[in-house]
Amino acid sequence: MRPRALQAALLLLTSVTLTACGGFGTVSGTGDKGFIAGDGVVQVLPKEDRERPGELSGDTLDGDELALSDFAGKIVVVNVWGSWCGPCRAEAPALADAAADLAEDDVRFLGVNLRESSVENARAFAREFSIPYPSIVNDGDTLLAFAGTLPVQSVPTTVVVDEEGLVAARVLGEVSRSTLVGIVDEVRDR
């Protein structure tokens, strides 16, 4: 292969790799809010700085309608994921464990599936990792619910909504079970 052709091929490969999961491309419906790589940064807001997200609703992987407002009065952990995303696959067992553990404390989980080539890929992911909570299929505008609060800028991102329906915390990137349980405890105590 000629040097210029090799350079072009390497550049294309690098570009595809960077945009595959949490990269720099813009997702339909997010306007100029391009997605960036998440590095696990945790942000917990004091109660006085929390804001209500926009309407978050859609059809689940099973075709049922579901909205964040259906969980009114509960702490809700919202996880944005894709079956094609390596960090999403890595954190899936921790999220499933945390959802089971925190259910005893009346904490609910809601997934938001993003950029799938088919709903069946998302269903297979949920089966593979025994995800015990529902996921909404992103319709392109779903994530705009967080635009005025702590926006979802990478995949995966996890947002914690407090009992009053206000965005209380966000993790950009992969989250561990212990970190997530600690965040929920902190949100509950503030």
Side-chain angles (χ1 to χ4, degrees), residues 16-23 37-38 79-95 113-116 125 128-129 131 154-157 173-176:
V16 168
T17 301
L18 287 174
T19 59
C21 182
N79 178 256
V80 180
W81 62 276
S83 67
W84 43 266
C85 168
C88 300
R89 299 182 73 76
E91 77 175 1
L95 285 164
N113 177 254
L114 187 65
R115 298 188 337 195
E116 292 293 340
F125 176 95
E128 178 182 351
F129 293 105
I131 304 297
S154 67
V155 180
T157 289
E174 188 177 330
V175 66
S176 70

Side-chain angles (χ1 to χ4, degrees), residues 12 15 31 41 60 63 78 82 85 87 91-92 98 105 111 118 122 129 134 138-139 160 169 172:
L12 177 62
S15 173
V41 171
T60 66
V78 180
C85 168
E91 77 175 1
D105 296 329
S118 78
F129 293 105
N138 179 36
D139 67 2
V160 179
L172 293 176

Side-chain angles (χ1 to χ4, degrees), residues 109-147:
F109 278 63
L110 175 62
V112 177
N113 177 254
L114 187 65
R115 298 188 337 195
E116 292 293 340
S117 58
S118 78
V119 174
E120 188 48 45
N121 289 346
R123 289 183 188 128
F125 176 95
R127 282 191 306 269
E128 178 182 351
F129 293 105
S130 301
I131 304 297
Y133 51 86
S135 286
I136 292 173
V137 179
N138 179 36
D139 67 2
D141 291 332
T142 305
L143 297 180
L144 292 177
F146 297 109

Side-chain angles (χ1 to χ4, degrees), residues 18-43:
L18 287 174
T19 59
C21 182
F24 302 103
T26 299
V27 175
S28 173
T30 61
D32 62 355
K33 293 173 176 39
F35 286 85
I36 57 174
D39 55 6
V41 171
V42 176
Q43 184 175 7

